[in-house]
Amino acid sequence: NAGVTQTPKFQVLKTGQSMTLQCAQDMNHNSMYWYRQDPGMGLRLIYYSASEGTTDKGEVPNGYNVSRLNKREFSLRLESAAPSQTSVYFCASSASPGTGYGYTFGSGTRLTVV
Amino acid sequence: GQQVMQIPQYQHVQEGEDFTTYCNSSTTLSNIQWYKQRPGGHPVFLIQLVKSGEVKKQKRLTFQFGEAKKNSSLHITATQTTDVGTYFCGTFTNQFYFGTGTSLTVIP
């Protein structure tokens, strides 16, 4: 099925550990995004990639890095996890922002940092 | 960043009652999108509005964009248990900004 695939679905890390969240889309979308969702805070943009080869910071980029590996794949890396990074992470993609087609979200990664 | 405020934060309704959530901005918006997120799920795109005063309907859902393009609303007629979830508005400028969402509980 066409869509956005995220791995892993669940992860528990110890403080200071690193990990990479993987995201792939098969809709030939140009733009990809990483959001985090915390209770009462809505969805906040961490990083985005408007097109292959470009990445930009969103609202809450500190503690994260990203790589747009190719048009399909956009990964999010936590170099040294902190408890404040406990959250649900969503990857999303869109054809062209603001064109009316909306964002397609992955099913999320539930990350706990202890 | 773009400030898009949503009210109410929570709403509990009896099944069959109507429900409305509002999205407000202090600045003029070029577009507004609405998403639904079921409990434990991910946001799903519902619709985009771009024209002043625009009204769009999807079955029991009615979406409206204000005349001044500073506010929007989502109205659900005769709620059902399948409507449970959080409804988000959002707008795109150079980035996409989501409102904080309205969590809808439907009591059978």
Side-chain angles (χ1 to χ4, degrees), chain A residues 33 35 37 40-43 45 48 57-59 90 97-108 110, chain B residues 9-10 31 33 35 37 40-45 47-48 50 86 88 92 94-101:
Chain A
Y33 313 84
Y35 285 89
Q37 185 173 38
M41 301 291 289
L43 290 147
L45 183 64
Y48 67 101
K57 296 178 180 179
E59 296 177 68
F90 289 102
T99 57
Y101 291 100
Y103 285 44
T104 301
F105 283 82
S107 57
R110 284 149 181 81
Chain B
Q9 189 173 1
Y10 302 97
N31 60 83
Q33 293 187 355
Y35 291 77
Q37 184 176 21
H42 58 276
V44 174
F45 174 71
I47 208 161
Q48 173 168 288
V50 297
T86 301
F88 292 96
F92 178 82
N94 60 327
Q95 299 179 8
F96 196 84
Y97 296 94
F98 283 92
T100 50

Side-chain angles (χ1 to χ4, degrees), chain B residues 19-69:
Chain B
F19 159 78
T20 306
T21 174
Y22 300 91
C23 186
N24 299 306
S25 173
S26 58
T27 61
T28 302
L29 304 172
S30 60
N31 60 83
I32 195 87
Q33 293 187 355
W34 285 94
Y35 291 77
K36 176 184 178 181
Q37 184 176 21
R38 295 183 188 273
H42 58 276
V44 174
F45 174 71
L46 295 176
I47 208 161
Q48 173 168 288
L49 306 171
V50 297
K51 299 177 182 177
S52 171
E54 188 171 14
V55 178
K56 289 188 177 180
K57 293 189 176 184
Q58 291 179 351
K59 296 183 179 178
R60 294 178 294 104
L61 278 61
T62 302
F63 304 85
Q64 187 164 6
F65 204 4
E67 293 290 343
K69 300 182 74 174

